[in-house]
Amino acid sequence: MKKIIYLLVAWRVFLFIPLFVSQIFLKLREGFNYTTPLHYIGSHNPISHFLFYPWANFDGVYYLSIAGSGYTVDNAGFFPLFPILINFLSLNSGVFTVQQFLVGMVLSSTLFLLSLIVFNKLLMLDYKRNISFHTILFLLLFPTSFFFVTIYSESLFFLLLIFSFYFARKENWFLSGIFAMLLTATRFVGIAIIPALLFEFFVQNKTFLSKKIISLLLAPIGILLYAWFNFSQWGNALHFIEAQGKVLNNRSVDEIILFPQAIFRYFKILTTTFVNYEWWIALLELSSFIFVSSLFYVAWKKKVRASYLIFGVLAFLIPASTGTFSGLPRYVLVLFPIFIALALIKNKWIKIAYSTVGIILLFILFMLFSKGYYIS
């Protein structure tokens, strides 16, 4: 466990280097200042320093706004548990205050540390120590892993996800159901935990006819409560889905668009449009889809636990079936079976290539993200 903590500290320190480099060589992206806290705070605010404000860029702005002043009709696409925790721990100190910002930062970092500790315990149920270590290493080296310690819900979602599976493996279905309930109150794709846990329950008990399965009825309560809140506020229980479609990401929320159509759309973009920044992001999104799809195949061939794969594939296909892969490079962070698959690959050159490319892209992408360039 010490090696994992040392690894996390080294990774966390490394992430400050792109901030220094971007401050020297990049300016804030013109016309996108609204994506950073700088747009909402004074220049004398301590969090306006270049080592601080980037950690709350893009979605972080929404989470801090919700934590400080509540929901509006436009930001309902962001699920409530993460901003509720920021609000509670910062004692509702207002919007974009130093206290609120620091709470968000400490919360994300602490939750991610806890998630790696529990993740290691979950991995050790099936694999040797070196596989566990390399799984976590490859997770940290993924090009968008910096989102785990920004003021985003990634770290909270990952912790709740791992806890849900860990207690399911320990046959503590009540706690597994509690954490699954919190998971579905954190992000929409949390609903993918429900069929995964039901399958795990059947594998362990060989039947669904057991009183213990009642605990899993807790799982959908999180999203149902948020749906009820949406209905009470805006007269539409599914308003949060509509709101997600308004976040300028070309996402379809009123129909399922099979991913082959999205792939065709991306090939068309890459072969017929002018090469600019958005072209490179489109390449990143398509590459993420292809890379992760390949790793799910490897995970299946390597016999990664079926319940993990059920969650991973469903949580992958939900955003990939909206007509766009926008956000996919970040969404795949929590799909832990793909990192198990990477650790189980025996070819060392594949692992070296992944690690090298991962470090380079992690540096570049966080540098761009810190200056208001959309990544995911």
Side-chain angles (χ1 to χ4, degrees):
M1 194 63 234
K2 286 184 179 180
K3 289 176 64 176
I4 292 174
I5 293 176
Y6 292 151
L7 180 65
L8 176 63
V9 171
W11 170 81
R12 194 68 179 84
V13 171
F14 168 80
L15 287 180
F16 280 98
I17 302 176
L19 297 181
F20 283 101
V21 175
S22 66
Q23 183 65 12
I24 298 171
F25 294 104
L26 284 177
K27 294 181 179 180
L28 279 171
R29 193 179 189 191
E30 188 175 347
F32 289 81
N33 58 326
Y34 64 91
T35 65
T36 78
L38 292 177
H39 184 67
Y40 309 91
I41 62 177
S43 59
H44 299 295
N45 192 311
I47 65 175
S48 65
H49 193 277
F50 74 90
L51 291 178
F52 289 95
Y53 77 82
W55 304 99
N57 281 356
F58 291 92
D59 287 5
V61 169
Y62 284 101
Y63 282 120
L64 290 176
S65 177
I66 294 169
S69 57
Y71 277 102
T72 68
V73 68
D74 296 321
N75 62 22
F78 296 87
F79 272 44
L81 187 56
F82 186 60
I84 285 174
L85 288 176
I86 295 176
N87 177 282
F88 175 76
L89 294 173
S90 59
L91 304 176
N92 195 18
S93 61
V95 185
F96 299 110
T97 64
V98 174
Q99 181 183 357
Q100 187 192 64
F101 182 90
L102 291 178
V103 164
M105 281 292 299
V106 172
L107 181 63
S108 290
S109 297
T110 303
L111 292 174
F112 188 47
L113 170 61
L114 292 175
S115 69
L116 292 186
I117 293 172
V118 182
F119 190 29
N120 181 62
K121 290 181 176 294
L122 179 66
L123 291 168
M124 293 294 287
L125 296 178
D126 300 304
Y127 303 105
K128 294 181 180 179
R129 193 177 302 276
N130 68 313
I131 297 297
S132 174
F133 176 80
H134 281 95
T135 299
I136 292 172
L137 171 65
F138 294 144
L139 171 67
L140 293 175
L141 293 183
F142 195 76
T144 58
S145 63
F146 61 86
F147 281 109
F148 278 124
V149 285
T150 54
I151 303 180
Y152 277 55
S153 63
E154 260 64 23
S155 57
L156 174 62
F157 187 90
F158 191 55
L159 177 63
L160 297 173
L161 172 66
I162 299 303
F163 261 132
S164 296
F165 275 118
Y166 179 75
F167 284 115
R169 294 294 306 278
K170 291 294 186 178
E171 299 187 65
N172 188 331
W173 296 106
F174 176 72
L175 286 180
S176 180
I178 290 291
F179 282 107
M181 176 182 69
L182 297 173
L183 189 71
T184 63
T186 304
R187 295 237 311 261
F188 178 73
V189 295
I191 61 173
I193 195 66
I194 299 172
L197 290 182
L198 287 172
F199 184 86
E200 183 65 39
F201 185 91
F202 185 80
V203 167
Q204 294 186 23
N205 296 277
K206 309 303 180 186
T207 180
F208 290 124
L209 302 177
S210 171
K211 292 182 178 179
K212 292 183 290 185
I213 202 172
I214 295 175
S215 295
L216 295 185
L217 296 178
L218 295 168
I221 290 177
I223 193 170
L224 290 175
L225 286 175
Y226 189 49
W228 174 81
F229 171 80
N230 276 247
F231 180 78
S232 66
Q233 291 291 309
W234 302 292
N236 180 3
L238 299 180
H239 173 71
F240 59 86
I241 296 179
E242 292 183 6
Q244 184 60 237
K246 295 177 182 178
V247 189
L248 300 178
N249 51 20
N250 298 315
R251 194 177 305 284
S252 173
V253 297
D254 54 5
E255 61 179 334
I256 295 175
I257 300 177
L258 299 179
F259 62 81
Q261 293 176 261
I263 293 175
F264 176 77
R265 174 173 171 264
Y266 272 84
F267 274 115
K268 187 175 180 180
I269 291 172
L270 295 175
T271 56
T272 62
T273 61
F274 180 74
V275 177
N276 55 14
Y277 181 73
E278 282 66 32
W279 187 93
W280 287 105
I281 292 301
L283 179 61
L284 175 68
E285 292 168 353
L286 179 61
S287 300
S288 297
F289 178 85
I290 295 171
F291 180 65
V292 173
S293 297
S294 302
L295 286 179
F296 272 124
Y297 175 74
V298 173
W300 173 69
K301 292 291 287 184
K302 295 290 186 180
K303 296 183 174 16
V304 172
R305 197 169 186 87
S307 59
Y308 301 168
L309 289 177
I310 290 171
F311 168 81
V313 170
L314 289 177
F316 180 58
L317 291 179
I318 288 172
S321 300
T322 60
T324 178
F325 299 148
S326 177
L328 203 62
R330 170 169 61 93
Y331 298 153
V332 301
L333 274 176
V334 298
L335 308 183
F336 65 91
I338 66 174
F339 300 106
I340 297 175
L342 271 169
L344 292 174
I345 292 175
K346 293 182 179 180
N347 189 314
K348 69 175 183 178
W349 295 110
I350 292 178
K351 294 179 178 179
I352 292 173
Y354 169 82
S355 301
T356 303
V357 173
I359 290 173
I360 294 171
L361 285 179
L362 176 59
F363 188 98
I364 294 172
L365 295 183
F366 189 42
M367 186 174 67
L368 291 167
F369 175 84
S370 72
K371 293 302 181 182
Y373 288 81
Y374 176 77
I375 300 299
S376 180

